[in-house]
Amino acid sequence: MKINIVIPASWNELSDSQFKELAKLSYSGKTGNYFDLQCFKILLNIRWYQFSRRMHVKFVLSQISIKTLKKTFDFVYKANDRTIFPKISNGYFPPLDKITNLTAEEFSVADDLHIKWRTTQDKEYLIYLAAVLYSKKKQPREPFDKNNLPDKIKHFKKLPIAVLLCIELAYFGCKNHLVKRFPKAFPKGTKKVSNSKYGFGKVILQMAGGKFGNHEQTKSTNIYTFLEEFTENLNSAKNG
């Protein structure tokens, strides 16, 4: 019997529904063959009523071990490079792919919340993270003011936990992209930028008064533009 099985080959190829299921599975604490098998089923995207496809999968699993099959979706086990955010139904829009339209301040606040979630697993941080990343206006985004977050989060409190987990995973994938693109701004091993007492906000404060203007102007600078200049400053300091 010849069976063709097509599954996503990267995090960004996952549909929103697959992403949600995989996010739940990733945070379920399940490991080993159970995790691998459930992951495979999610990637196949088979509905309960698709009996023929389900039988085909049973046949495949009877012929090929899950240990061998998992090699076809090994991206799940590598560094998270998801950069596309899920759409939500509360009237707010996600940031652009790779967070290319976020400001330095938005990234700073989001990164602090991301780290706090990873440390505490407190759902409240996920809600705040979603409120930072999603905007009432699609493009350009509405001006960011972190003082408005306590009122803004009421629009995100009812989001399902699976959606919140997807948002956090997408943010983490975007951060991984930034780390790869600007390695000197995120030195390996030191965790200097992410885990210092004041987080990335301290870097913004240090950059204020320079090329981008005062503190308010600097923190409103696009995160990519900011990191490019920050990297240049690091290079100049090293060579100077």
Side-chain angles (χ1 to χ4, degrees):
M1 180 185 293
K2 184 178 179 181
I3 300 174
N4 292 322
I5 295 178
V6 179
I7 60 175
S10 69
W11 281 94
N12 278 342
E13 289 183 26
L14 297 171
S15 66
D16 275 3
S17 61
Q18 287 174 315
F19 191 29
K20 289 173 190 175
E21 291 302 313
L22 196 54
K24 287 192 293 184
L25 180 63
S26 297
Y27 286 105
S28 68
K30 304 296 184 181
T31 58
N33 283 345
Y34 179 87
F35 179 92
D36 300 336
L37 181 58
Q38 295 306 311
C39 184
F40 182 55
K41 290 179 178 179
I42 291 169
L43 297 178
L44 287 173
N45 200 30
I46 298 176
R47 302 292 188 263
W48 67 269
Y49 53 82
Q50 294 176 313
F51 301 109
S52 178
R53 290 190 67 194
R54 288 167 65 186
M55 291 302 295
H56 287 171
V57 172
K58 275 191 173 184
F59 174 78
V60 169
L61 290 170
S62 71
Q63 302 297 310
I64 308 172
S65 70
I66 189 63
K67 184 178 180 180
T68 300
L69 285 170
K70 67 182 288 187
K71 295 176 183 177
T72 64
F73 52 92
D74 60 350
F75 72 89
V76 173
Y77 306 89
K78 296 179 180 179
N80 169 17
D81 61 357
R82 173 81 182 198
T83 59
I84 301 172
F85 288 81
K87 296 180 177 63
I88 56 179
S89 57
N90 65 353
Y92 283 78
F93 297 95
L96 296 180
D97 182 19
K98 300 183 180 69
I99 55 173
T100 54
N101 61 341
L102 252 60
T103 65
E105 183 183 27
E106 286 172 318
F107 174 79
S108 173
V109 176
D111 201 48
D112 283 343
L113 293 166
H114 155 72
I115 292 168
K116 286 175 181 175
W117 154 252
R118 291 272 161 166
T119 304
T120 67
Q121 302 289 289
D122 185 340
K123 181 183 174 182
E124 193 76 3
Y125 292 124
L126 289 180
I127 296 171
Y128 269 90
L129 178 62
V132 171
L133 293 170
Y134 284 69
S135 172
K136 195 67 176 174
K137 291 177 63 180
K138 188 172 184 179
Q139 185 63 16
R141 290 166 61 85
E142 59 191 352
F144 178 72
D145 185 346
K146 65 181 180 181
N147 295 316
N148 294 334
L149 287 177
D151 181 61
K152 187 179 178 182
I153 63 166
K154 67 185 179 183
H155 301 289
F156 296 84
K157 284 184 175 291
K158 293 184 179 180
L159 288 181
I161 184 65
V163 174
L164 293 171
L165 292 173
C166 282
I167 292 170
E168 195 274 339
L169 281 174
Y171 168 77
F172 197 11
C174 290
K175 180 179 178 179
N176 287 337
H177 170 76
L178 288 176
V179 171
K180 187 175 181 180
R181 179 163 175 175
F182 304 101
K184 291 184 178 180
F186 301 90
K188 291 181 180 180
T190 65
K191 299 183 180 179
K192 179 179 177 182
V193 172
S194 297
N195 292 342
S196 62
K197 183 177 179 182
Y198 301 101
F200 199 79
K202 187 175 182 180
V203 179
I204 296 174
L205 192 60
Q206 291 171 342
M207 293 278 286
K211 179 177 180 178
F212 303 125
N214 60 31
H215 186 240
E216 285 297 317
Q217 293 168 323
T218 301
K219 69 184 185 181
S220 297
T221 302
N222 176 273
I223 184 58
Y224 281 79
T225 305
F226 180 91
L227 287 173
E228 285 172 359
E229 179 66 12
F230 182 46
T231 299
E232 284 297 317
N233 290 351
L234 291 174
N235 289 334
S236 298
K238 183 178 179 180
N239 298 327

